[in-house]
Amino acid sequence: MLKKIAKRLKKAAHIAIFTHQNPDGDALGSSFAVKYALEAIGKKATIYLEKPMPEKFNFLGTDYRIADENTQSDADCAIVLDCGEYSRLGATSETCKKIPCLLCIDHHKTGDTFGELYYNEPDSAATAQIVYQLVNLITKDVPQKAYEAIYTGMSTDTGHFKFSNVSPKTFKIAAEVLASGINHRKITTIIYDTVKREKMMFLGAATERVELYCNGRVAVLDCPGEFLAQFGLTYDDVDELPNIPLNLEGVEASILVKDRDENSKRVSLRTKDVIDVSEVASAFGGGGHKSAAACVLSGNIEENLKKLIDTVIDKLPC
Ligand SMILES: [Mn+2]
């Protein structure tokens, strides 16, 4: 299937690249890697995003377009990367819909199947890990900046090669990417080892907001946007937010609650591989991976959050 996708991309003149809203390192890394590989063989490739991407990923590249419902694209082929559900394309979905050919590459365990050619490798630690294989089918001369983007995606989706989604194949591909000569330390310094002062202050204060349930085995962090605003931050500045409740000693599963809109909250579930949080998320209309998943709570949010906490507790082993 990947060969077919590569072949289809090579037939196109202008490829539009899409990924999920609030893109993370894997979403952006995969997108830029595909863009650079296609440009290396003389194609036009455009990344469409709903909002400006988080500043810290600017080292990947800043050549992308903001799309809303009215954006027109003259692309003759679209590829959607790292997006488990079509609806997670957000405002860019209208632009995507109008493009005649749709391809999709993903690694989410739960979600929709869409597109003319659809490839999902649920055992893959990151979409970027699949994209590594794709770019090598597109060109024999993969540009180094494509490999930097792939390394970024693999690193961020694995908590820098810590999570249980890491397999021998992950390290094998990471090794091949490093062998291309990329400066991996430059990338990890930007992503992990550079913290703004206001963010450090925030992390301390956020820790104090963590609530514990079930003898400290479940941690909940309610983090409204206005709390972040007190520190001059937005959600984009703190994507490690779910780790604050999870990393606490004794915690087996964590729940992070963020504002979504006036009537709903976005919940991120994490676990130290004790339960399958994608099952919990699915029960509340969401999805994701075994150790990292998300869903939306609306209606009586307080009551639904209680139900969600109970569902997590029920899944814990005795
Ligand atoms: Mn991913």
Side-chain angles (χ1 to χ4, degrees):
M1 181 56 81
L2 266 186
K3 272 191 191 150
K4 272 191 189 169
I5 290 177
K7 222 171 150 188
R8 187 63 192 80
L9 288 169
K10 283 183 183 175
K11 261 207 274 175
H14 177 193
I15 299 99
I17 302 166
F18 297 88
T19 189
H20 63 78
Q21 50 191 170
N22 307 315
D24 53 16
D26 189 28
L28 295 169
S30 297
S31 298
F32 278 99
V34 171
K35 175 182 161 69
Y36 295 144
L38 288 169
E39 286 173 348
I41 58 162
K43 301 291 178 187
K44 186 176 173 193
T46 310
I47 297 173
Y48 290 94
L49 300 175
E50 200 181 48
K51 287 189 296 185
M53 61 188 230
E55 235 176 77
K56 73 169 172 184
F57 290 118
N58 281 353
F59 73 91
L60 292 173
T62 49
D63 183 14
Y64 59 87
R65 278 192 59 192
I66 303 292
D68 61 22
E69 287 76 9
N70 305 313
T71 304
Q72 298 286 338
S73 169
D74 66 356
D76 51 348
C77 185
I79 184 161
V80 175
L81 300 164
D82 196 43
C83 185
E85 290 129 53
Y86 193 78
S87 62
R88 287 199 70 208
L89 287 175
T92 66
S93 68
E94 289 300 318
T95 309
C96 184
K97 214 185 280 173
K98 288 175 226 148
I99 298 169
C101 166
L102 179 62
L103 315 173
C104 178
I105 294 177
D106 190 27
H107 71 131
H108 290 86
K109 203 177 80 173
T110 53
D112 310 338
T113 302
F114 54 88
E116 202 171 291
L117 298 174
Y118 175 85
Y119 182 69
N120 190 328
E121 214 175 271
D123 295 334
S124 193
T127 295
Q129 188 176 312
I130 312 169
V131 164
Y132 172 83
Q133 302 162 66
L134 178 74
V135 296
N136 280 283
L137 291 168
I138 293 174
T139 171
K140 294 270 164 288
D141 268 315
V142 177
Q144 202 162 66
K145 52 188 184 173
Y147 280 144
E148 283 182 355
I150 287 168
Y151 185 79
T152 301
M154 292 181 68
S155 165
T156 53
D157 252 25
T158 56
H160 201 55
F161 306 98
K162 278 190 303 198
F163 299 159
S164 54
N165 57 3
V166 168
S167 69
K169 193 173 175 184
T170 309
F171 279 113
K172 204 172 160 249
I173 290 178
E176 284 167 19
V177 168
L178 286 188
S180 78
I182 65 159
N183 185 344
H184 66 94
R185 186 54 187 146
K186 184 191 86 185
I187 296 170
T188 52
T189 301
I190 294 169
I191 301 178
Y192 304 108
D193 299 339
T194 308
V195 185
K196 284 184 187 161
R197 188 178 166 78
E198 53 268 39
K199 183 163 161 182
M200 253 190 204
M201 308 285 280
F202 162 80
L203 292 173
T207 309
E208 289 181 34
R209 289 177 73 96
V210 174
E211 284 173 36
L212 295 173
Y213 295 83
C214 194
N215 298 317
R217 297 172 74 191
V218 175
V220 180
L221 173 58
D222 182 10
C223 187
E226 57 183 37
F227 176 61
L228 273 159
Q230 290 172 25
F231 298 86
L233 299 170
T234 68
Y235 289 120
D236 286 343
D237 299 315
V238 282
D239 49 8
E240 67 275 68
L241 214 46
N243 295 331
I244 299 172
L246 182 68
N247 289 356
L248 205 59
E249 186 180 16
V251 170
E252 294 169 42
S254 68
I255 297 165
L256 169 72
V257 185
K258 300 200 293 193
D259 290 342
R260 184 167 174 267
D261 54 38
E262 269 172 45
N263 305 311
S264 65
K265 297 268 189 184
R266 184 166 169 84
V267 175
S268 303
L269 296 150
R270 296 286 186 276
T271 174
K272 289 173 185 147
D273 296 317
V274 179
I275 61 171
D276 183 344
V277 287
S278 73
E279 288 175 4
V280 180
S282 296
F284 287 80
H289 307 289
K290 234 175 144 178
S291 52
C295 61
V296 170
L297 293 183
S298 53
N300 187 336
I301 292 170
E302 208 177 316
E303 199 173 291
N304 289 329
L305 178 60
K306 257 187 211 149
K307 279 185 200 156
L308 183 104
I309 295 168
D310 286 339
T311 310
V312 170
I313 292 172
D314 283 344
K315 291 221 178 270
L316 290 176
C318 293

